[in-house]
Amino acid sequence: MAFLYRKILRVYFRQNVGWTPNKESNANLVAVATTYLEPMGIYSQKIKNMNDVPDGALVALADNPANTARGLKLLQAAGLIKLKDGFNEGTGSVNDIADNPKHLKFKLIDDTTGPRVIQDVDLVLIGNTVAMEGGLNVLKDSLFHEEVSVDTKSSINVLVTTSDKKDDPGILKLGELYHNDDTQKYIEQEFGGTKVPVNKPVSFLEE
């Protein structure tokens, strides 16, 4: 990101809006286009259906705050837990679980080791990049995964630039080119559909 701050680069392609740079630094960055969601998934070698999750199941979660919180939100979406009101998407933890009807037990792991620990736990939550490196396709191999919605908007990747370049025709054109048929065909072939396209106005992220 330092390149963008120094204005050597005019646009940054994979900024996740869950991280708010204007709060982290003095950089005045703005999103100019949405691109894709890399879904986090819930995986298991022991369970074949989410309805079969046993009482007291051991669940592995990434040990970095953002992905811990993201994983907990996914478990809530899957109907396994309920989070407290006001859950913080950046710092939320297992201490913010309001209801855990299946008495799930949690183990925090290095998020790059998810595919390797899958056989040692009942459920493991794995981000898409790590899953792909481990030979997993989130759309085919997970029991449950994120979908594009208001609940996952903080995980949507966007094009960002400095505020003085937000109306630059060349930068805006990049957003259009990302979603053209040829680009999407290439992405589908290279990543097996796991970079789910998000072609929504930036205002969607602010709703």
Side-chain angles (χ1 to χ4, degrees):
M1 295 301 293
F3 292 119
L4 202 155
Y5 298 163
R6 298 187 192 117
K7 299 187 180 181
I8 295 174
L9 295 180
R10 300 188 344 179
V11 64
Y12 184 75
F13 189 62
R14 287 194 60 207
Q15 176 61 51
N16 182 301
V17 299
W19 177 69
T20 51
N22 290 328
K23 294 180 180 179
E24 300 274 340
S25 69
N26 293 324
N28 188 18
L29 306 181
V30 294
V32 294
T34 57
T35 56
Y36 61 90
L37 170 71
E38 291 200 68
M40 176 177 282
I42 302 175
Y43 298 83
S44 179
Q45 286 188 349
K46 301 178 180 180
I47 299 166
K48 301 302 181 184
N49 189 291
M50 291 300 293
N51 293 327
D52 298 330
V53 176
D55 191 78
L58 180 60
V59 181
L61 287 169
D63 64 357
N64 66 75
N67 280 331
T68 299
R70 185 174 176 180
L72 290 170
K73 284 187 64 181
L74 183 56
L75 290 172
Q76 177 172 256
L80 293 179
I81 62 172
K82 182 175 176 54
L83 299 170
K84 295 177 181 177
D85 292 340
F87 179 78
N88 188 300
E89 294 186 4
T91 61
S93 73
V94 294
N95 294 324
D96 297 309
I97 296 174
D99 189 24
N100 182 7
K102 286 187 175 288
H103 309 100
L104 303 179
K105 299 174 183 177
F106 298 94
K107 177 181 181 179
L108 296 181
I109 62 169
D110 181 329
D111 60 358
T112 64
T113 65
R116 298 200 295 274
V117 306
I118 192 171
Q119 60 189 357
D120 301 322
V121 297
D122 295 301
L123 299 172
V124 57
L125 286 85
I126 309 175
N128 184 54
T129 299
V130 174
M132 289 191 67
E133 291 172 351
L136 299 169
N137 182 307
V138 65
L139 304 183
K140 299 176 181 178
D141 300 319
S142 68
L143 298 178
F144 189 87
H145 60 78
E146 292 175 324
E147 296 184 357
V148 178
S149 72
V150 171
D151 288 337
T152 59
K153 66 182 181 180
S154 64
S155 298
I156 292 171
N157 289 281
V158 295
L159 286 172
V160 299
T161 188
T162 50
S163 59
D164 60 318
K165 299 293 185 183
K166 65 183 178 64
D167 297 316
D168 185 299
I171 290 175
L172 295 177
K173 185 65 176 179
L174 280 177
E176 296 177 16
L177 290 174
Y178 179 84
H179 290 289
N180 74 24
D181 290 344
D182 288 341
T183 304
Q184 290 303 307
K185 182 178 180 180
Y186 171 81
I187 292 171
E188 171 72 25
Q189 292 174 340
E190 289 295 309
F191 302 102
T194 64
K195 293 183 184 293
V196 180
V198 181
N199 192 6
K200 293 182 177 292
V202 171
S203 59
F204 167 75
L205 307 175
E206 301 166 356
E207 294 176 357

